[in-house]
Amino acid sequence: MSLTLAWLRHDLRLADNPLFQFETPPEQLLCVYVLDRAWLETLPGLEAARIGPARLRFLWESLIALRGELLRRGSDLLVRVGDPVMVVAELADRHGASQVRVRRDAGRDEAQQVHRLAERLGEGVALCQPDSGLLLDEASLPVPVAALPGSFSAFRRRVERAGAVSAALPAPVTLPPWPEAAPRGFPPLGKVCSRAASWTPDKRTAYRFVGGEAEGLARLDHYLWQSGAVARYKQTRNGLLGADFSTRFSAWLAHGCLSARQVHDAVRAWEARHGANESSGWVIFELLWRDYFHWAARQEGAALFGPRRLPPRSDAFRAWCEGGTGMPFIDAAMRELAATGWLSNRARQNVASYLVHELGVDWRLGAAWFEHALIDFDVASNWGNWRYVAGVGRDPRGHRFDVLWQAARYDPDGAYVAHWLPEIAVLPPGSGRHRPWTVAPEHFALPLPEAPGQGGQAGARQSG
């Protein structure tokens, strides 16, 4: 009897998922997700786990939703906590799998795990690694991964000349049955991480993320068809407060509850009815950026992450994590991140620049903290963006933001900083909220780093 084991990772959906597409269906299907126990262990230097409570809760919600969809189609899901390679290899051996399917991911650890698995699988067990979740797969890239252009612009031009993006595949109506002897289900989240089980976003958040394919599709429907916010995206994408200034698709894309092709198809359908505009095109543009980060990560391999061991935490890094630098625009963003698990793109760029270029902290610590804190952590986009800001990636120039200039442009009345910093809310609206040490020096000290004449200025202007 033929049995396929589908090892799920960042692909927690049924639609447009090659793991569930069969030319000749196997007689049995075993679907398994393994939470890597190493993600729950405190990293030296970071003093936090790789996966924080916000992301872990979203992940568990996504797994619960996925199991429900699998059960409706005659299958099921097994979730384990442990070493993914050992768990998958043992299940494949015990239940006589003839094939193991796993998405090809960009991360160093993910690639190493698949390599280890290939060495452990028994003779005659095929290992299938499809590309999944992106606009393009490797076969449709305009150039080999090894020859990927050094700039996104060059990559985009080649992709646009190459032709259309393939349409997303529909979800299967039925799936092969579950092996009778195989275990199923998963442990309650409270036994895995009590903090994640009890985690809820701060009541000040404008939007609450809930994991699962249906929730991702509902957000897509709301943003395009119900609110029509996609028509204004180019103008609102640098916003800081509210639910619809951003698509917020990133959490479902990162966990694979949505694929980039599903978003692409939905935007093109909206354009067919309402007409394409600069804003709808910008959503596609950013999906292509996401693809570029993925392929760049595949090309760079371990070099994407720098030296494996993180440096020790400094007082400056600790203050940045806790939202205690004294620079309101930075502190508001870091407190929002801690309280909600999410941060706007504009805020991410500013806090990254401040940590690296003003506080002089190793960029890898910032990238690792985002991996811990973000609900929408994506290995390629996160580490690629941090390298971009630090100037250690494909663009060696680095990107240093004048935080006070940025604050004045994107939060002119100080509404954002007052929203997340109660101590700032008592100050009158205006630029003084971003420079409280000039308005009330008896209550507010100069921000870190305190340097004569620095006064909180943060380098050369970057408005992009």
Side-chain angles (χ1 to χ4, degrees):
M1 180 172 288
S2 62
L3 184 149
T4 290
L5 188 154
W7 176 14
L8 296 156
R9 300 203 287 189
H10 305 295
D11 40 17
L12 305 182
R13 67 185 182 282
L14 289 179
D16 199 37
N17 190 339
L19 298 189
F20 299 121
Q21 299 290 332
F22 303 101
E23 290 185 11
T24 303
E27 295 171 281
Q28 295 180 326
L29 178 63
L30 175 57
C31 306
V32 60
Y33 181 92
V34 186
L35 175 64
D36 194 334
R37 193 179 300 279
W39 290 7
L40 301 171
E41 298 172 355
T42 300
L43 282 179
L46 191 66
E47 297 179 17
R50 284 181 61 177
I51 185 168
R55 179 155 60 100
L56 185 53
R57 184 178 181 88
F58 185 94
L59 169 62
W60 232 250
E61 292 169 346
S62 301
L63 291 168
I64 291 169
L66 177 61
R67 188 185 187 199
E69 293 300 319
L70 288 168
L71 285 167
R72 274 188 275 274
R73 288 161 174 83
S75 186
D76 207 335
L77 179 65
L78 171 64
V79 176
R80 290 277 180 83
V81 179
D83 180 327
V85 174
M86 293 181 63
V87 171
V88 172
E90 189 272 334
L91 287 168
D93 179 64
R94 184 197 306 172
H95 299 288
S98 55
Q99 184 187 66
V100 173
R101 293 183 167 202
V102 59
R103 156 183 154 147
R104 190 186 300 274
D105 279 317
R108 168 183 55 194
D109 291 348
E110 289 84 350
Q112 289 177 345
Q113 286 175 350
V114 174
H115 180 73
R116 286 173 50 214
L117 178 64
E119 295 178 334
R120 293 179 62 102
L121 288 177
E123 189 174 338
V125 182
L127 180 61
C128 176
Q129 280 192 272
D131 295 313
S132 175
L134 303 168
L135 291 178
L136 306 171
D137 53 32
E138 189 168 357
S140 61
L141 284 177
V143 295
V145 174
L148 192 76
S151 73
F152 168 71
S153 296
F155 172 74
R156 176 175 58 84
R157 287 193 296 268
R158 295 196 182 193
V159 169
E160 291 173 347
R161 288 197 298 266
V165 173
S166 298
L169 299 170
V173 176
T174 61
L175 288 167
W178 190 261
E180 288 186 10
R184 57 178 76 196
F186 44 91
L189 182 55
K191 291 189 175 181
V192 177
C193 176
S194 59
R195 288 185 60 211
S198 61
W199 187 87
T200 56
D202 190 286
K203 62 183 179 181
R204 290 172 292 177
T205 188
Y207 186 81
R208 186 187 187 281
F209 291 94
V210 179
E213 185 174 6
E215 292 287 346
L217 291 171
R219 175 60 186 176
L220 185 60
D221 181 71
H222 168 83
Y223 193 78
L224 271 64
W225 303 104
Q226 296 180 30
S227 71
V230 65
R232 305 179 295 276
Y233 175 68
K234 184 75 172 348
Q235 292 72 45
T236 66
R237 66 191 179 91
N238 285 309
L240 297 166
L241 289 170
D244 289 343
F245 68 83
S246 168
T247 70
R248 298 188 187 252
F249 301 154
S250 58
W252 293 282
L253 286 167
H255 291 265
C257 303
L258 285 177
S259 75
R261 287 176 180 173
Q262 287 177 289
V263 177
H264 177 271
D265 289 356
V267 173
R268 292 304 190 209
W270 184 90
E271 290 177 334
R273 179 176 297 184
H274 298 282
N277 65 16
E278 192 177 28
S279 288
S280 62
W282 204 263
V283 175
I284 304 298
F285 175 83
E286 293 200 347
L287 288 174
L288 197 56
W289 251 116
R290 180 174 176 269
D291 262 49
Y292 180 67
F293 273 125
H294 175 93
W295 297 111
R298 287 269 294 273
Q299 183 189 59
E300 294 180 18
L304 176 69
F305 306 93
R308 181 97 199 190
R309 187 171 182 83
L310 295 173
R313 283 168 59 112
S314 63
D315 290 341
F317 176 65
R318 185 174 290 104
W320 177 84
C321 292
E322 296 172 355
T325 69
M327 179 66 78
F329 199 49
I330 301 303
D331 293 346
M334 295 306 295
R335 294 192 198 179
E336 179 186 10
L337 175 60
T340 70
W342 190 83
L343 207 54
S344 70
N345 182 62
R346 178 56 49 185
R348 294 185 201 205
Q349 292 181 71
N350 275 275
V351 298
S353 173
Y354 197 79
L355 180 73
V356 173
H357 298 298
E358 308 311 321
L359 300 183
V361 173
D362 191 310
W363 67 275
R364 294 174 301 140
L365 278 171
W369 184 254
F370 269 26
E371 180 171 352
H372 163 81
L374 286 171
I375 285 178
D376 64 359
F377 169 74
D378 173 275
V379 61
S381 297
N382 181 68
W383 289 82
N385 271 306
W386 273 92
R387 282 164 60 87
Y388 175 79
V389 168
V392 297
R394 306 173 81 80
D395 185 346
R397 295 173 298 173
H399 292 78
R400 189 173 190 171
F401 289 76
D402 183 331
V403 172
L404 290 174
W405 185 89
Q406 293 268 318
R409 177 172 181 180
Y410 296 109
D411 187 32
D413 295 331
Y416 175 68
V417 295
H419 188 75
W420 290 105
L421 303 175
E423 64 272 27
I424 295 296
V426 300
L427 300 177
S431 61
R433 287 179 168 178
H434 294 294
R435 302 171 183 261
W437 55 90
T438 65
V439 176
E442 68 278 12
H443 297 298
F444 298 94
L446 285 171
L448 295 174
E450 295 181 8
Q454 194 263 348
Q457 295 293 337
R461 175 180 298 178
Q462 289 284 343
S463 60

